[in-house]
Amino acid sequence: MYKPEFQDILALVQMPTRYLGNEINAVKKDLNKVDLTFALVFPDLYEIGTSHFGLQILYSILNNQNNIAAERFFAPAPDMETYLKEKQIPSLSMESKRELKKFDIIGISLLYELNFTNILTILSLSKIPFYAKERDDLFPLIIGGGPCAFNPEPLADFFDAFVIGDGEDAVVQISNRVIQFKKEGDGKKKSLLKLLSEIDGVYVPSFFDPEFDENGIQTLTPLFEDYKKVKRAFLPELTIDNFPTSPIIPFAKPVHDRLRLEIARGCSRGCRFCQAGMIYRPVRERSLDDLIQITDASLKSTGYSEISLLSLSTGDYSNLPPLMERLLDLGEGHCNAISLPSIRAEKLTPELMSIIKKVRKTGFTIAPEAGSQRLRDIINKNLAQESIDATVKNAFDLGWKNIKLYFMMGLPFETGEDIKAICDLSQNLASSYAKGKKNINTSVACFIPKAHTPFQRCSQISLEETKEKLQYLKDNLRHRKVKLKWQDPEMSLIEGVWARGDRKLSKLLVKAFEKGCRLDGWNDKFNFSLWQKSFEETGIDPLFYTSRQRNDDEALPWDIIDSGVTSKFFKKEFQKSKKEALTSDCREEECTGCGVCDFETVRPVLHDIVSDPQNSLNFKNSDPVKETAIRRIPDDAFKKFEIGFSKLETARFFGHLELATIVKRAVKRAGLNVKYSQGFNPAMRLSFETALPLGMESEEELLFIYLENNLEPEAVVKLLNKTLPQGLCITGCKPFNKFEKKKSTASLYRIKFLESCLKKERVDNLLNLSEFIVEDLSKKGKIRKTDLRKAVEKISFIDLQNIEMVIKKYNERIIRPAQILKNCFELDENIINCARIKKMKQG
């Protein structure tokens, strides 16, 4: 349950639904009846973290264990952090509002280096000591995982352990070991960590002593003979068992508000700068059968209208055309768009092009990475100029209006001609293919060398050089059809420091946090001057980590981590880059000898190409297409219904657009057939009588929707109430009658304040006035006058904290209580926002 003071804060912050935790498909268990509680922490804002597919996977896997409860935490926005500190409220879980430090395990996702200060924000609010050595045996076990864990050293002092690699199996093994230890262990954290170190992929930093030579180079000395190297955890194949078919449906504005379908993991194209392409090898595809069954179940459980295909290289999926065809069939009436982020020209077969024409287009990205063919060969992009031209042409021809080109500056062996080539390529593509309303967005970022790549020992160009190259692009990339975008060079510098840092950086992170660094991955929150001061005060030289070329014999901070790809392969690839020599994709050519496969447990999982997808699918119980697809119903089979609903308690924090989305998805989950508008992007025929202000409750609101003629109103009420989140309730349903006499236009509101702030004389003064004129701007920017006194039909002063108002329309405009309270009673805005304003049911 909500703590009262936390609920009061929600009324004061932006986007309060970030913190509600009562989303559809959220799992709430009795934490007193499980053997283990697991906090899943994503150190960024809710709209970023809740869009991360890996978090959904772990949440589903853990909560599928009857004796484990997993709950979520996200970084608070600055306004929320301020209020939490002011009221001394710790980090609370989304689901049960339990304190972070009361969980058995805290698992923190490490996706992006510029999220690191947010980790300290979350720990600080909970008064959990930052350094692992300062936490006694009573504090939770803190574990990190994700791509940044492949160089865990900058964060090693803060974490008890890291999971390196795929987390699906490792997280369950860790949980079971901890459960067993709680029952049978000696209570010492070191003993528990020794047990966990036996699990594949688990790295315990305290089991290695760091040493630094006269040049500041870190090496690690193992404390145990049987624990000298940590081999990445590996998931042999992707199955339905480890896929979340009932993912949480986020509130607010998640960056990816659609069904995410991971079709494959890993990439073997071998781009020499790409960390993900190295650490997630080999390629493992999901089967076509599994993907269709997953989509069927997920569309039913979510009500989503869009599907996003997730993979490092979506176009390489063996059965992309039949998958797209089946998804379109499966989503008939449910799914309006399939996000196909990028397809190489050579993969655009006539069959696939025909299918893509049926799909509503979202974004399309092409990543040449470099402007010249010479530099693309150096980085092993395996992308020819002809392919880029053909891909852009095909994408525009197939209906995309905007194409994003992604480039990097500062790649190894880059020259000024390569930067000029970015301008030339962008402008030539725009001139040749961006006709009419079609446009190209060219995005550039500084190349940041990452651990476990052939370029891991390369230097990163200086901040000054990055700015110079960016300025050249600003001055020379000028075309009316091209828009240039870029990553902040200062952000790239900080990311570069952390990407290849060591344990000396722990004091830097603490200092930056103390100075106020928060949400550094957000342009409007990033403050480079605070980082500069932190470098100065800690004596850390950022250039030691970024601008320095590492020698072949220099120890690297992440040498303790075995990603599966050998250092020999990395060195060989770097030498080939010097010669501009290409390495082929091993899924199409022979093995490249990277070392990751043993061809028994670790091997590529590729599926045979399906020629007839309709006959290839073997469903155990039923045909999901017949079960899920909405029947094609003629327009005259629908009629308009009037549905009453209440919006109470935490639902008062839903904004109007958010409420509309929630209702639409509830209708889909309820299995109701709805009338849609015509066109390429059909919209559900749904409308609301009024838009209720954020924060206001109501016992009676109306919406209108076109449903099948033969539906019983009672059935509609029952079906919808099963699918709505807490606080929303359908109170009635009936066929719409345009001749029915409308109820009174006046509304009764009950208002309860948190503190005594009302004065009876103000109420009396307002009632004694003949008019009370206020001015504001209309949507068209014109000054309009409103007589609030004429809008107030009645006010009843109950006591210093409670009041009732009857308010009617003024010139056909709805007047809300907050306008009266602010203008007539001169109450502070925060007092009004925290008040419980409820619109009562008429009669």
Side-chain angles (χ1 to χ4, degrees), residues 188-202:
K188 302 294 184 182
K189 187 171 287 187
K190 186 174 181 179
S191 301
L192 174 58
L193 291 174
K194 193 71 175 76
L195 287 173
L196 297 183
S197 70
E198 299 170 359
I199 299 172
D200 284 348
V202 173

Side-chain angles (χ1 to χ4, degrees), residues 8-24:
D8 297 340
I9 290 175
L10 292 179
L12 299 173
V13 299
Q14 292 183 334
M15 295 177 66
T17 48
R18 283 170 169 161
Y19 311 102
L20 290 186
N22 62 335
E23 307 102 315
I24 295 297

Side-chain angles (χ1 to χ4, degrees), residues 10 109 114 184 347 383 452 474 576 603 700 749 793 803 813:
L10 292 179
S109 297
L114 295 187
E184 304 171 3
K347 299 292 182 178
L383 185 62
H452 304 282
K474 292 179 182 179
K576 290 181 73 173
R603 56 182 174 78
E700 185 179 48
Y749 298 91
E793 193 170 284
I803 195 172
R813 286 191 288 113

Side-chain angles (χ1 to χ4, degrees), residues 528-544:
F528 186 57
S529 65
L530 296 180
W531 280 101
Q532 288 177 306
K533 293 175 183 176
S534 300
F535 284 122
E536 292 171 7
E537 294 183 19
T538 56
I540 298 291
D541 180 6
L543 302 185
F544 176 81

Side-chain angles (χ1 to χ4, degrees), residues 316-574:
D316 288 334
Y317 181 70
S318 298
N319 284 294
L320 187 59
L323 172 63
M324 294 281 290
E325 193 70 65
R326 294 296 285 171
L327 290 178
L328 287 172
D329 290 342
L330 192 63
E332 181 71 37
H334 283 268
C335 177
N336 295 338
I338 299 174
S339 176
L340 199 63
S342 180
I343 299 290
R344 290 184 178 229
E346 62 268 25
K347 299 292 182 178
L348 280 171
T349 63
E351 179 188 14
L352 184 56
M353 292 175 70
S354 174
I355 297 168
I356 290 174
K357 286 181 179 179
K358 305 175 187 177
V359 179
R360 182 166 67 87
K361 309 302 184 292
T362 53
F364 194 95
T365 299
I366 303 172
E369 314 292 357
S372 69
Q373 190 63 53
R374 182 193 72 88
L375 195 51
R376 285 196 294 274
D377 290 346
I378 286 173
I379 64 177
N380 201 49
K381 186 61 186 179
N382 276 303
L383 185 62
Q385 180 68 50
E386 295 76 15
S387 180
I388 297 172
D389 287 346
T391 302
V392 171
K393 180 181 184 303
N394 288 332
F396 278 139
D397 289 346
L398 289 169
W400 273 277
K401 301 297 183 186
N402 294 286
I403 292 177
K404 177 181 177 181
L405 300 177
Y406 180 79
F407 297 95
M408 286 186 284
M409 304 177 293
L411 286 163
F413 315 113
E414 179 183 83
T415 68
E417 286 299 309
D418 297 309
I419 298 299
K420 179 179 180 296
I422 295 175
C423 300
D424 295 341
L425 178 58
S426 300
Q427 292 171 156
N428 290 339
L429 290 172
S431 297
S432 299
Y433 308 115
K435 309 297 183 182
K437 295 181 178 180
K438 298 168 183 175
N439 296 284
I440 288 176
N441 292 323
T442 294
S443 179
V444 295
C446 176
F447 163 66
I448 300 169
K450 292 292 177 88
H452 304 282
T453 68
F455 291 158
Q456 61 184 351
R457 295 180 179 273
C458 294
S459 61
Q460 179 175 333
I461 61 173
S462 67
L463 181 59
E464 292 72 24
E465 189 177 352
T466 305
K467 290 181 176 180
E468 288 174 6
K469 291 183 175 183
L470 179 58
Q471 189 60 51
Y472 176 88
L473 292 173
K474 292 179 182 179
D475 294 339
N476 292 277
L477 183 46
R478 296 181 179 276
H479 192 288
R480 65 186 185 87
K481 288 291 184 176
V482 179
K483 183 176 182 180
L484 177 65
K485 299 181 179 181
W486 59 88
Q487 184 184 32
D488 185 338
E490 294 169 344
M491 294 174 73
S492 297
L493 172 65
I494 302 302
E495 182 182 345
V497 170
W498 291 104
R500 294 187 294 172
D502 53 29
R503 296 196 189 186
K504 294 197 296 288
L505 293 182
S506 58
K507 62 182 179 181
L508 173 67
L509 189 65
V510 174
K511 179 62 68 174
F513 168 77
E514 292 172 346
K515 289 200 168 294
C517 291
R518 304 287 191 279
L519 300 169
D520 299 294
W522 294 76
N523 285 315
D524 59 335
K525 305 292 190 302
F526 179 74
N527 188 330
F528 186 57
S529 65
L530 296 180
W531 280 101
Q532 288 177 306
K533 293 175 183 176
S534 300
F535 284 122
E536 292 171 7
E537 294 183 19
T538 56
I540 298 291
D541 180 6
L543 302 185
F544 176 81
Y545 298 99
T546 57
S547 299
R548 191 172 55 81
Q549 179 81 27
R550 278 74 166 166
N551 297 324
D552 284 349
D553 57 350
E554 179 181 320
L556 299 172
W558 52 90
D559 278 344
I560 196 69
I561 304 300
D562 180 4
S563 67
V565 183
T566 65
S567 58
K568 180 180 177 181
F569 177 78
F570 290 145
K571 291 176 181 177
K572 182 178 73 172
E573 283 296 294
F574 183 66

